[in-house]
């Protein structure tokens, strides 16, 4: 369940807060509505040389990446095209929406590991489905219509032919059984040795999950590093189990990921980030788990997985509100700084091959820097009015109702007296993403010169930081695009 807590109850403040970071969870960042305004300190920029939003829209649309993204969005509106977090209808082989039998209810911010499993299974089996996004309780209210259908509010939930289910594993089993026609990949092997092996592997996954919880959500690494040793020993057993199959997947009977692989991958993805961030344990790239490395590489060759995959920063921000606080050790400081943007990791120029701590998937890295910049610009320009007002919350009024994710504040209101200046700043950011920071830096610096180092500059910096720290992957954009947007925001913050 999405609200599962492994750590000590009652402690909601994650260690990341100590460095000025906190969990995200604001569902209206790049796809929502602008809130009504609040009053705050006035910020005025006497100069505005940034291109207009209309000009920026035309410029990004003319890039190869912008043209491709525009075509993909048009296809997605029809239930077609590649997988994407915002695709509300997936037709696959269905002729029209009237033939769609499944509705998936998953979390708005794409935090929930259990939702990710079901989402992946639908994509891998190419089952036509509708999507409704629902807030997790940690970052927002659930709509009444959903609670009328699912009184306990649990995610994921699914409707198949009018029947509702919750709990990811039974959902995946039901989907595999219901949609098992010829040419549809089977996710559960038939009765026999492979079914028995699958059952044992699912038990091992629960052991790994328990060992991860004991390590991550308790201080230190356990008495005489007991929790670390138990986690690593269980991970080695997982690696050995992968080595028993002839291909990259857990089961020999399939040339595609099965239910077993999907059950593992969403939490392994989160383990890679959290073990490094809080405990200084590098799993990927360590040379200790070659079969796991091959398994992860095989997943990263699949577009469906990349569409659901988060980056480490998003994970270390979204884990505490769902499970409880992670406890840091001194050995993790360097990795934690790289993950949450301290120490220059969110600065230009970027290395889109990724860091030693967090390599980019080859399919994403191969697209190159320009494509990543242009994707970030495309998303920013497409919803600029809401994003500007969202950023202006940085000096606005917090909402009266608060949520478990500390800065999840969907009822916050922007500082109306900062909106115009924030708009100028974000147009400069979009221009830099499209044309390159070196081409646009002088104009941005000239426009901000009047407020640099003054109260107005500090207010603008607060607004841009507010936005930067809430960019989520994949909710808002892909990992390489998010890397670029965070770094370009930092470049403008430096001018304030």
């Amino acid at each position: 369940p999405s609200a599962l807590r492994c750590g000590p109850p009652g402690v909601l403040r994650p260690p990341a807060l100590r460095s000025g970071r906190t969990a995200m969870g604001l569902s209206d960042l790049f796809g929502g509505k602008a809130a009504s305004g609040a009053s705050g300190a006035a910020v005025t920029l006497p100069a505005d040389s940034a291109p207009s939003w209309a000009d920026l829209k035309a410029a990004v649309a003319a890039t190869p990446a912008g043209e491709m993204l525009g075509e993909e969005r048009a296809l997605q509106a029809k239930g077609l095209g590649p997988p994407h977090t915002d695709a509300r209808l997936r037709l696959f082989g269905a002729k029209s929406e009237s033939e769609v039998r499944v509705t998936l209810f998953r979390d708005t911010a794409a935090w929930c590991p259990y939702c990710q499993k079901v989402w992946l299974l639908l994509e891998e089996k190419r089952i036509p489905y509708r999507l409704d996004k629902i807030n997790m309780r940690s970052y927002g209210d659930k709509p009444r219509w959903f609670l009328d259908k699912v009184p306990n509010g649990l995610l994921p939930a699914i409707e198949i032919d009018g029947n509702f289910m919750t709990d990811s594993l039974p959902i995946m089993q039901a989907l595999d059984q219901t949609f098992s026609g010829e040419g549809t990949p089977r996710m559960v092997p038939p009765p026999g040795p492979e079914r028995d092996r699958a059952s044992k592997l699912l038990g091992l996954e629960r052991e790994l999950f328990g060992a991860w919880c004991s390590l991550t959500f308790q201080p230190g690494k356990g008495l005489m590093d007991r929790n670390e040793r138990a986690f690593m020993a269980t991970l080695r057993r997982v690696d050995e189990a992968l080595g028993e199959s002839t291909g990259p997947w857990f089961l020999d009977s399939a040339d595609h990921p099965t239910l077993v692989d999907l059950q593992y991958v969403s939490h392994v993805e989160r383990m890679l980030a959290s073990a490094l961030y809080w405990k200084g344990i590098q799993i990927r790239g360590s040379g200790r788990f070659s079969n796991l490395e091959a398994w992860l590489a095989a997943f990263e060759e699949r577009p469906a997985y990349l569409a659901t995959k988060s980056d480490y920063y998003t994970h270390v921000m979204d884990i505490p509100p769902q499970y409880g606080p992670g406890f840091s050790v001194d050995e993790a400081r360097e990795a934690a700084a790289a993950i949450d943007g301290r120490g220059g990791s969110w600065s230009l120029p970027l290395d889109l091959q990724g860091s030693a701590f967090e390599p980019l998937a080859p399919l994403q890295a191969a697209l190159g820097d320009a494509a990543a910049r242009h994707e970030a610009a495309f998303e920013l320009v497409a919803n600029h009015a809401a994003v500007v007002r969202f950023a202006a919350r940085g000096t606005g009024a917090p909402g009266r109702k608060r949520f478990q994710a500390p800065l999840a504040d969907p009822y916050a209101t922007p500082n109306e007296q900062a909106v115009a200046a924030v708009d100028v700043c974000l147009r400069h950011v979009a221009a830099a993403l499209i044309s390159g920071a070196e081409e646009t830096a002088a104009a941005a610096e000239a426009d901000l010169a009047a407020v640099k180092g003054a109260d107005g500059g500090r207010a603008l910096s607060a607004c841009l930081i507010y936005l930067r720290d809430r960019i989520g992957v994949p909710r808002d954009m892909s990992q390489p695009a998010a890397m670029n947007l965070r770094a370009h925001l930092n470049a403008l913050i430096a001018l304030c």
Side-chain angles (χ1 to χ4, degrees):
S2 57
L4 177 65
R5 294 178 57 82
C6 305
V11 184
L12 305 182
R13 189 171 183 265
L17 219 64
R18 299 172 193 150
S19 62
R21 308 287 183 183
T22 187
M24 299 171 295
L26 295 158
S27 60
D28 55 349
L29 178 49
F30 277 77
K33 297 178 180 178
S36 58
S39 295
V43 183
T44 303
L45 290 178
D48 176 5
S49 64
S52 69
W53 289 114
D55 287 343
L56 291 165
K57 181 178 180 180
V60 75
T63 66
E67 183 178 356
M68 180 186 70
L69 290 167
E71 292 172 354
E72 289 179 356
R73 297 300 186 272
L75 289 171
Q76 286 160 9
K78 301 175 182 178
L80 307 173
H84 191 273
T85 185
D86 289 332
R88 297 301 184 111
L89 176 66
R90 298 289 282 155
L91 289 177
F92 297 116
K95 295 179 181 178
S96 69
E97 187 174 356
S98 64
E99 297 181 12
V100 176
R101 301 166 55 191
V102 174
T103 300
L104 169 65
F105 302 91
R106 69 164 175 85
D107 76 298
T108 307
W111 284 8
C112 172
Y114 303 95
C115 298
Q116 185 183 10
K117 303 173 199 290
V118 177
W119 181 11
L120 271 170
L121 183 137
L122 288 165
E123 289 289 334
E124 290 290 347
K125 283 183 70 74
R126 297 177 61 81
I127 298 171
Y129 69 96
R130 301 179 193 85
L131 172 68
D132 273 313
K133 295 182 181 181
I134 307 295
N135 289 337
M136 296 175 74
R137 289 191 177 96
S138 60
Y139 59 74
D141 290 318
K142 295 180 186 290
R144 170 48 53 187
W145 65 262
F146 178 72
L147 293 174
D148 288 342
K149 292 176 179 286
V150 186
N152 61 17
L154 289 179
L155 295 172
I158 203 157
E159 181 181 7
I160 307 175
D161 297 329
N163 298 310
F164 281 85
M165 295 182 66
T166 58
D167 195 343
S168 59
L169 191 55
I171 286 173
M172 291 192 290
Q173 292 168 331
L175 286 169
D176 192 53
Q177 184 175 6
T178 304
F179 298 91
S180 57
E182 185 177 351
T184 302
R186 290 303 304 266
M187 295 293 170
V188 179
E194 278 287 79
R195 173 79 68 89
D196 295 340
R197 174 172 164 77
S199 296
K200 291 179 181 178
L201 288 167
L202 292 176
L204 178 57
E205 189 273 336
R206 289 293 81 190
E207 290 185 50
L208 180 65
F209 178 78
W212 171 67
C213 287
S214 296
L215 172 65
T216 306
F217 305 113
Q218 294 185 28
K221 296 182 178 182
L223 181 64
M224 298 182 68
D225 294 338
R226 178 179 59 190
N227 293 338
E228 179 184 12
R229 287 186 283 107
F231 173 69
M232 297 299 279
T234 311
L235 197 59
R236 280 192 293 273
R237 289 169 58 200
V238 172
D239 189 71
E240 290 165 1
L242 280 165
E244 292 170 3
S245 64
T246 56
W249 312 114
F250 278 102
L251 300 180
D252 270 334
S253 59
D255 59 359
H256 56 79
T258 66
L259 182 146
V260 174
D261 299 284
L262 303 185
Q263 182 71 358
Y264 273 84
V265 73
S266 62
H267 275 114
V268 168
E269 183 183 309
R270 286 152 178 80
M271 292 171 192
L272 299 176
S274 57
L276 184 60
Y277 186 80
W278 282 299
K279 305 301 179 180
I281 299 171
Q282 186 164 355
I283 298 171
R284 200 157 191 195
S286 67
R288 291 178 287 182
F289 305 103
S290 59
N291 299 312
L292 188 73
E293 295 272 11
W295 179 75
L296 290 165
F299 262 114
E300 289 180 343
E301 292 175 357
R302 306 184 81 84
Y305 175 66
L306 290 181
T308 73
K309 180 178 179 287
S310 292
D311 66 345
Y312 287 5
Y313 174 72
T314 300
H315 279 321
V316 300
M317 297 295 106
D318 72 41
I319 286 171
Q322 297 180 76
Y323 296 91
F327 287 86
S328 297
V329 298
D330 287 343
E331 304 96 290
R333 287 181 178 177
E334 181 184 358
I339 289 169
D340 67 16
R342 291 171 288 133
S345 59
W346 290 358
S347 300
L348 297 175
L350 287 173
D351 178 6
L352 278 192
Q353 295 304 311
S355 69
F357 292 124
E358 184 180 11
L360 272 182
L363 285 180
Q364 293 178 322
L367 295 175
D369 177 70
R373 287 191 288 106
H374 296 158
E375 179 193 343
F378 184 95
E379 300 295 352
L380 173 58
V381 171
N383 202 37
H384 65 270
V387 178
V388 167
R389 295 180 65 78
F390 181 92
R393 292 179 180 185
T395 55
R400 292 185 178 181
K401 183 174 183 179
R402 305 309 298 268
F403 294 85
Q404 191 171 349
L407 287 189
D409 195 3
Y411 299 111
T413 52
N415 173 8
E416 293 289 354
Q417 298 186 84
V419 168
V422 172
D423 186 272
V424 175
C425 289
L426 291 184
R427 283 187 279 121
H428 277 299
V429 169
L433 287 164
I434 295 168
S435 303
E438 293 182 358
E439 297 292 326
T440 60
E445 186 172 6
D447 283 359
L448 290 167
V451 298
K452 183 176 177 63
D455 288 346
R458 286 186 284 274
L460 283 176
S461 178
C463 292
L464 298 175
I465 289 170
Y466 187 93
L467 172 61
R468 180 200 66 194
D469 289 354
R470 289 163 177 79
I471 298 165
V473 177
R475 181 194 61 190
D476 302 317
M477 57 193 66
S478 71
Q479 181 180 345
M483 291 168 63
N484 264 286
L485 182 51
R486 292 166 185 152
H488 282 77
L489 284 167
N490 270 344
L492 203 72
I493 289 166
L495 300 178
C496 295

